Amino acid sequence: MIKKPLKMRSFDKFKIWVLFICLISELGYGFYLPGSYPHKYGVGDFLNVKVNSLTSIDTELPYSYYSLPFCQPQEGVKDSAENLGELLMGDRIENSPYRFKMYTNETEIFTCQTKPLSGEEFNLLKKRIDEMYQVNLILDNLPAIRYTRKEGYFLRWTGYPVGIKVQDAYYVFNHLKFTVLVHKYEETNVARVMGTGDGAVLISTVRKVGSEAPGYMVVGFEVVPCSVQHGPDATKNLKMYSKYPTPIKCDPTTVAMAIKENEPVSFTYEVNFVESDIKWPSRWDAYLKMEGAKVHWFSILNSLMVITFLAGIVLVIFLRTVRRDLTRYEELDKEAQSQMNEELSGWKLVVSDVFRAPSNPALLCAMVGDGVQILGMGVVTILFAALGFMSPASRGTLITGMLFFYMILGVSAGYVAVRLWRTICCGDHKGWVSVSWKAAYFFPGIALLILTTLNFLLWGSHSTGAIPFSLFVILILLWFCISVPLTLLGGYLGAKAPHIEYPVRTNQIPRDIPPQKYPSWLLVLGAGTLPFGTLFIELFFIMSSLWMGRVYYVFGFLLIVMILLVVVCAEVSLVLTYMHLCVEDWKWWWKSFFASGSVSIYIFLYSVNYLIFDLKSLSGPVSATLYLGYSLFMVLAIMFATGTVGFLSSFWFVHYLFSSVKLD
C-alpha cells in the first residue's frame, strides 16, 4: 500500500520535468547553449560592425585597431562589454564606422579621409604591413571570414591583412566588399502548459501568417579587401556614409592605393546581403572547417588506437608480473624461517622503509594538492567545452571558466595536501596550517611571477595583450579573497579527516640502498616519453590554435586524449615504482611524481621545436620571450597535474601491495 503512492509520486515528478524541459526548449524557439542566442533583425534594422585587436602570427603581439590611422565612428570610439577571458586573451572589442541596414544592399559608401599621414604614422603602417597584421571585424558575434584560392583549393582566413608590400611600395586595403549571409527567421510553435496534475497537456499556439514583418538572422559574414585609388577631388566634400561619386571596382588581385608620407588615405566599403540556406545553429561550420580537418581526425584516431593498444600491453605485463611475485612470496612464507630469509629478495626486503617520509614532505604535499586542483580544473573545463557550453561563439568563456573552476577547486588542493601531510606524519596535526598556505601560494605564486614578467614586456610594447592594472588588481583580489580561503578551508577539512594508516611499520634506522647499474633519475626522465606519445599529435592542433589563430573545437577528442593520458601516466608511474622497489630502492615518493611529470620536459622541447620550425617567421626577442614564457607556464601546470596522477597511483599501489601479502 505504501509503494504504489511512491511510484505515482515519482511518475508525476518525471512528467513535470519532461514538461519543464519541453517548455524551456520551445520558449526560445529551440534550445541554444549559453553565449549563442539568435538575434532577429527586421528589414532596415541597423547592423553595427565591431572591431577587435589587430593580430599577427609574425609577432603574437595584439594591438588596438585604432592604433593605426583608420576611420573612427561618428559617436567616438567605445569599448564593448568584455568578459575576463577576453581581456586576458588580449581582445579589445570596439565599435567601428561600418554600419549596415538589414537586407539593404549598398555600394560606394564613403567612410572617411584621414589626415595627411605623418612620418610616425607612415612608418607604423609600413611596419604593421611587414609584420603581416590582420584586421578582425565582428558582425553579430561572427568574425569576418576571407576566402582565397590557391592551386584549385579555397582557403579560409579570419580577418584581412592591413596591406601588402609589392616591390618597394606599400599598399593599404582601403575598400572592403562585405557579403552578409542571412537566413529568414522561421516562426516556431510556442508550447504552453495548460492544466495541473494528471491533466497537464501541451497546447501549441501558432501566430497568424503575415502578422509580422519578415525577419532575418545573420548566418555568415565575408569580406573581400581591395586597394583602390581614390581621387582627392572626388572625396573633397563628402561626409561619412555619403555615396562615392564614381563606381568602385573591387579587384582583390590588383593594388592601387600606395601609402605615402604627408598624403591622406580614403576608405570606402560596399555591402551585399545574400539569403542563404544555412540555418542559425550551423553558422559556425564555415569557421570550424579549416584546412587539415581530415588529417586532424585521422591522426587523433590513429594516435588513440596506438596508445590504447600500448597501454593495454603495459597493463597486462604489469598485472602478470605483480601477480607472479605475490604468488612466489606467499609460497616462501610457508617455508621454514631460515630458508625464507635466504631466498627473499626484491621489494619485500624494503618493507620497513617503503613508507619512510620523503625529503621535503611539505613541498611534495603542496605540489600534489596543486596538481589535484589543476587536473580537476582541466577535466571540468574540457568536459563543459565538449558539451558545448564553451563554444567558439562565446569568446573568452573558456579562460573565464578555467579561472572559476580553478578557484572553486582550491578546496580539493587544501584537502589533499593536508591529508597527505597527516598520512606522512602518521596522523600528527602539527604543521597542517603551513601546508595549507603552501598549497594556496606555491603554483599561483609561480604563475603570478611568470605572468607579471611577461606583462611588463607587453606593457613596454604597448600591446593590448597586456593585462590592465585594474584587471591585475582584480586577479590578485580573486586569488586572496576566494582561492586562498577555499584552500585553507580544504586544509581544515583535511585535518579533520582520518589519515591513511600504513599497513607496515617503519624502522628507525634506514636501510642502505644497493648500488644501481644505471642512474634511477635517468629512467625517471625517460618514462615521460610514453605519456608524451598520447598527446603529441593533439598538441600540434592546440599549439596551432594558440599561436596560429586557428579555431580549436574538437573538445570531445581532447577529453578522450586527456583521460587516456591520465591512464598512461598512472601505468608508467606504477611500473617504474615497482621496478625501483624490486632493486631495493625505497625512495619512490619523488620519483613516482616525476616519472609521469617528466612528460612536461618533452612538451617544452616540442614547444621549442614548434617555435623553430612552425613559427619561424616569429620576429623579435620580445615575441620569442613571450612564447617561451607562456610555454613554460603551460608545462609547469602539466607537470603538476601529471605528476600528481603518477604519485597518487603509486601511493595506492604501494599501500595495496604491502597490505595484500602476509609479512612476518
Side-chain angles (χ1 to χ4, degrees):
M1 295 299 293
I2 298 177
K3 294 183 179 180
K4 188 173 181 180
L6 286 176
K7 288 184 178 180
M8 291 291 293
R9 194 178 306 165
S10 301
F11 184 70
D12 290 341
K13 290 182 179 180
F14 174 76
K15 288 196 298 181
I16 292 173
W17 276 108
V18 170
L19 292 175
F20 177 75
I21 293 172
C22 293
L23 178 63
I24 293 299
S25 63
E26 290 291 336
L27 285 178
Y29 306 114
F31 176 72
Y32 299 105
L33 295 174
S36 58
Y37 299 105
H39 194 117
K40 171 190 171 184
Y41 298 94
V43 176
D45 288 351
F46 280 107
L47 302 175
N48 294 315
V49 178
K50 298 180 181 180
V51 293
N52 203 344
S53 300
L54 304 173
T55 55
S56 171
I57 61 174
D58 189 57
T59 65
E60 301 296 345
L61 296 172
Y63 290 99
S64 172
Y65 173 83
Y66 294 106
S67 63
L68 294 181
F70 290 141
C71 300
Q72 298 190 3
Q74 290 178 330
E75 64 274 17
V77 178
K78 298 178 181 178
D79 292 333
S80 298
E82 298 169 359
N83 57 44
L84 185 62
E86 286 180 291
L87 291 172
L88 293 176
M89 291 297 292
D91 291 337
R92 295 296 182 271
I93 301 175
E94 299 162 314
N95 58 336
S96 80
Y98 301 109
R99 189 176 61 181
F100 310 150
K101 292 181 181 178
M102 172 56 76
Y103 223 107
T104 304
N105 297 336
E106 297 177 291
T107 57
E108 293 94 30
I109 302 299
F110 175 75
T111 308
C112 78
Q113 184 181 63
T114 66
K115 297 178 180 179
L117 297 177
S118 63
E120 183 180 355
E121 291 174 333
F122 175 69
N123 292 327
L124 184 60
L125 260 177
K126 291 197 303 181
K127 183 180 180 182
R128 295 292 180 258
I129 292 174
D130 284 334
E131 293 172 339
M132 302 169 57
Y133 268 87
Q134 303 280 319
V135 178
N136 300 292
L137 304 177
I138 301 171
L139 176 65
D140 193 45
N141 205 33
L142 279 179
I145 194 169
R146 175 172 57 97
Y147 291 92
T148 59
R149 189 177 181 88
K150 183 179 181 181
E151 298 178 356
Y153 293 96
F154 279 103
L155 303 178
R156 303 174 182 89
W157 310 86
T158 53
Y160 66 91
V162 173
I164 189 172
K165 181 182 179 182
V166 179
Q167 296 179 351
D168 293 331
Y170 290 85
Y171 298 86
V172 67
F173 291 115
N174 62 331
H175 179 80
L176 302 179
K177 181 180 180 180
F178 295 106
T179 301
V180 181
L181 304 180
V182 295
H183 186 79
K184 184 174 290 187
Y185 183 80
E186 298 175 355
E187 185 71 46
T188 57
N189 297 346
V190 181
R192 294 187 291 117
V193 181
M194 302 294 293
T196 57
D198 295 335
V201 294
L202 285 174
I203 300 179
S204 62
T205 61
V206 185
R207 298 179 186 267
K208 294 182 179 180
V209 179
S211 60
E212 284 188 14
Y216 294 91
M217 296 178 292
V218 177
V219 295
F221 184 37
E222 301 173 6
V223 62
V224 177
C226 298
S227 181
V228 179
Q229 180 67 50
H230 296 304
D233 296 333
T235 60
K236 184 179 296 184
N237 298 320
L238 292 180
K239 296 182 179 180
M240 184 174 284
Y241 307 122
S242 299
K243 191 172 180 65
Y244 194 76
T246 59
I248 300 175
K249 183 181 179 181
C250 182
D251 185 6
T253 60
T254 60
V255 290
M257 187 61 213
I259 57 173
K260 298 178 182 179
E261 192 173 352
N262 297 322
E263 289 189 9
V265 179
S266 298
F267 291 88
T268 55
Y269 71 93
E270 60 183 283
V271 59
N272 183 39
F273 286 84
V274 178
E275 194 162 344
S276 172
D277 293 332
I278 300 174
K279 295 188 177 182
W280 192 89
S282 304
R283 66 178 190 161
W284 274 88
D285 290 355
Y287 301 87
L288 303 182
K289 293 178 181 177
M290 293 297 177
E291 283 61 44
K294 293 183 180 179
V295 178
H296 178 98
W297 290 91
F298 176 77
S299 299
I300 295 179
L301 184 60
N302 180 66
S303 176
L304 289 173
M305 293 175 62
V306 172
I307 299 304
T308 303
F309 177 73
L310 187 58
I313 293 178
V314 172
L315 186 61
V316 169
I317 294 176
F318 172 73
L319 289 178
R320 291 186 61 184
T321 303
V322 173
R323 186 176 299 174
R324 185 175 62 248
D325 285 349
L326 285 175
T327 303
R328 181 162 55 90
Y329 286 132
E330 287 295 336
E331 291 176 353
L332 287 173
D333 283 337
K334 299 175 183 178
E335 299 178 4
Q337 183 70 31
S338 59
Q339 184 179 356
M340 183 185 67
N341 291 335
E342 294 177 359
E343 296 186 14
L344 278 179
S345 62
W347 56 267
K348 202 171 183 182
L349 293 177
V350 297
V351 61
S352 300
D353 298 274
V354 69
F355 290 108
R356 189 177 302 279
S359 58
N360 299 316
L363 178 61
L364 177 63
C365 294
M367 292 177 69
V368 171
D370 288 340
V372 169
Q373 187 177 8
I374 296 170
L375 182 65
M377 174 204 69
V379 171
V380 175
T381 303
I382 295 175
L383 178 62
F384 272 79
L387 293 175
F389 288 95
M390 298 177 182
S391 66
S394 186
R395 285 180 303 274
T397 54
L398 193 66
I399 301 297
T400 306
M402 291 174 66
L403 285 174
F404 174 77
F405 293 134
Y406 181 81
M407 290 187 297
I408 296 301
L409 290 172
V411 177
S412 63
Y415 178 83
V416 172
V418 171
R419 192 172 184 196
L420 179 61
W421 168 259
R422 292 190 60 234
T423 299
I424 293 175
C425 297
C426 299
D428 189 3
H429 291 77
K430 186 179 180 181
W432 73 267
V433 177
S434 175
V435 173
S436 298
W437 280 103
K438 288 181 180 178
Y441 285 103
F442 188 65
F443 177 76
I446 296 175
L448 183 65
L449 178 63
I450 295 175
L451 295 180
T452 303
T453 304
L454 299 180
N455 212 48
F456 278 117
L457 293 177
L458 291 169
W459 273 335
S461 302
H462 305 287
S463 170
T464 58
I467 302 175
F469 181 76
S470 58
L471 179 60
F472 207 79
V473 174
I474 291 174
L475 291 176
I476 297 295
L477 291 176
L478 288 175
W479 179 22
F480 278 95
C481 298
I482 298 180
S483 182
V484 172
L486 288 177
T487 306
L488 295 177
L489 174 62
Y492 174 78
L493 297 177
K496 293 295 182 181
H499 69 282
I500 301 174
E501 296 282 352
Y502 290 149
V504 293
R505 290 181 303 219
T506 302
N507 289 341
Q508 294 183 352
I509 301 175
R511 178 186 178 88
D512 292 333
I513 300 176
Q516 307 298 321
K517 296 180 181 179
Y518 48 83
S520 59
W521 284 104
L522 184 63
L523 188 60
V524 168
L525 294 177
T529 55
L530 188 58
F532 178 73
T534 65
L535 52 80
F536 80 97
I537 294 179
E538 188 70 18
L539 195 61
F540 170 79
F541 295 99
I542 295 175
M543 300 291 282
S544 299
S545 174
L546 291 174
W547 303 106
M548 301 291 284
R550 298 174 184 173
V551 180
Y552 188 87
Y553 61 97
V554 284
F555 291 102
F557 267 114
L558 182 60
L559 181 62
I560 296 174
V561 171
M562 188 172 186
I563 294 174
L564 192 58
L565 174 65
V566 170
V567 173
V568 174
C569 285
E571 292 174 351
V572 167
S573 185
L574 290 182
V575 172
L576 202 68
T577 300
Y578 181 73
M579 291 175 62
H580 281 107
L581 294 179
C582 285
V583 294
E584 303 175 28
D585 184 358
W586 47 266
K587 295 182 178 181
W588 59 271
W589 300 78
W590 282 106
K591 293 173 185 176
S592 64
F593 185 93
F594 287 110
S596 53
S598 61
V599 65
S600 59
I601 298 176
Y602 299 96
I603 294 177
F604 188 77
L605 294 177
Y606 181 87
S607 301
V608 175
N609 175 80
Y610 190 85
L611 172 64
I612 297 173
F613 295 100
D614 293 274
L615 292 178
K616 49 190 174 185
S617 62
L618 199 66
S619 61
V622 174
S623 300
T625 304
L626 288 171
Y627 174 84
L628 293 176
Y630 286 123
S631 298
L632 178 62
F633 170 71
M634 178 182 69
V635 299
L636 283 176
I638 293 175
M639 183 196 71
F640 276 70
T642 55
T644 297
V645 172
F647 172 80
L648 293 179
S649 58
S650 293
F651 183 86
W652 169 83
F653 164 70
V654 172
H655 190 278
Y656 175 79
L657 180 64
F658 284 89
S659 61
S660 299
V661 295
K662 182 180 178 181
L663 296 171
D664 293 330

